């Protein structure tokens, strides 16, 4: 019986060690990613180039089908697309490969709501009650997208937002939101310097 207890103790100790190693790898990996993004922002020619690089990195890391970087124009409350990312699998004739036909404003976009509230927003399209309020949502659903994460990035007096949209039904939108929040806080000082 003492031998069985010793074996059980060894198994538990081994599992705990593996857990510690996995946590250490996660922290190290996140730190290396944040460092790479900081360097990308620092070496970018402009703030727009920096945000474009960040958008592509976030989309590829999280497997987003579509990524957009937006700026809220405070004068007329319209939204201007600064940068875009389209996954190669997105249909060539998709609405999202074209320039927006509708006027995009602070009143009809999830990302605009996130910017104005200065708070991230995660949404699954199937759970939205009033679809007519959001101008791009029907096109998103017809393109096979299931939801998006929107995150505000305020750089001095300029208000930007990143939106990542997903077609993978297994994606944990809140985990993506938390990751983007952590990275945004890390790189914010570098973006201030870039501006």
């Amino acid at each position: 019986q003492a031998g069985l207890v010793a074996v059980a103790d060894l198994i538990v100790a081994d599992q705990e060690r593996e857990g510690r190693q996995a946590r250490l790898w996660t922290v190290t990996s996140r730190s290396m990613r944040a460092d790479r993004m900081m360097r990308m922002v620092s070496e970018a020619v402009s703030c727009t180039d920096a945000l474009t690089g960040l958008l592509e990195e976030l989309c590829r890391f999280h497997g987003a089908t579509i990524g957009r970087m937006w700026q809220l124009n405070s004068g007329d409350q319209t939204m201007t697309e600064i940068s875009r990312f389209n996954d190669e699998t997105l249909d060539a004739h998709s609405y999202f490969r074209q320039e927006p036909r509708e006027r995009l404003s602070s009143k009809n976009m999830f990302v605009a709501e996130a910017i104005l509230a200065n708070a991230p927003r995660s949404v699954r399209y199937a759970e939205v009650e009033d679809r007519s309020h959001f101008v791009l949502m029907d096109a998103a659903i017809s393109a096979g997208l299931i939801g998006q994460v929107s995150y505000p990035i305020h750089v001095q007096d300029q208000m930007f937002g990143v939106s990542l949209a997903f077609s993978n039904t297994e994606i944990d939108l809140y985990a993506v939101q938390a990751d983007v929040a952590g990275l945004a806080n890390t790189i914010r000082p570098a973006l201030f310097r870039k501006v």
Side-chain angles (χ1 to χ4, degrees):
Q1 188 172 0
L4 288 176
V5 170
V7 169
D9 287 344
L10 285 173
I11 291 171
V12 169
D14 191 48
Q15 288 175 337
E16 288 174 350
R17 188 179 76 251
E18 285 178 4
R20 283 193 302 274
Q21 287 175 336
R23 286 189 295 277
L24 180 60
W25 171 247
T26 300
V27 170
T28 302
S29 176
R30 181 176 293 234
S31 177
M32 289 183 340
R33 217 170 117 233
D35 182 61
R36 188 173 65 248
M37 290 181 149
M38 288 279 285
R39 276 187 279 115
M40 184 185 352
V41 169
S42 298
E43 294 168 3
V45 175
S46 67
C47 184
T48 301
D49 288 345
L51 292 171
T52 298
L54 291 172
L55 175 66
E56 184 171 344
E57 177 77 18
L58 287 170
C59 288
R60 293 199 186 281
F61 183 80
H62 288 292
T65 306
I66 293 172
R68 297 290 185 265
M69 188 67 67
W70 301 92
Q71 182 172 17
L72 176 65
N73 306 308
S74 56
D76 60 2
Q77 294 293 294
T78 58
M79 298 291 290
T80 302
E81 182 184 294
I82 301 230
S83 179
R84 65 172 48 197
F85 171 88
N86 291 323
D87 185 85
E88 295 81 14
T89 62
L90 191 66
D91 187 305
H93 301 291
S94 166
Y95 175 83
F96 290 98
R97 287 199 180 273
Q98 318 303 319
E99 291 301 316
R101 291 185 291 270
E102 290 95 345
R103 187 167 190 263
L104 304 177
S105 78
S106 62
K107 296 179 177 32
N108 62 11
M109 296 180 69
F110 293 116
V111 68
E113 289 183 349
I115 293 170
L116 291 171
N118 196 22
R121 178 147 193 221
S122 299
V123 62
R124 289 200 178 270
Y125 299 139
E127 297 170 3
V128 176
E129 290 180 18
D130 183 9
R131 291 185 181 179
S132 64
H133 178 70
F134 299 100
V135 72
L136 299 177
M137 198 160 91
D138 286 339
I141 292 169
S142 68
L145 304 178
I146 56 96
Q148 77 179 60
V149 171
S150 299
Y151 195 86
I153 303 174
H154 292 195
V155 183
Q156 293 178 345
D157 59 345
Q158 299 181 53
M159 302 194 323
F160 300 98
V162 61
S163 61
L164 306 179
F166 299 89
S167 52
N168 177 1
T169 57
E170 303 301 314
I171 195 77
D172 182 345
L173 297 178
Y174 294 101
V176 174
Q177 178 181 304
D179 180 70
V180 175
L183 287 169
N185 289 334
T186 301
I187 63 169
R188 197 180 308 275
L191 280 173
F192 276 125
R193 286 193 298 275
K194 184 58 63 178
V195 170

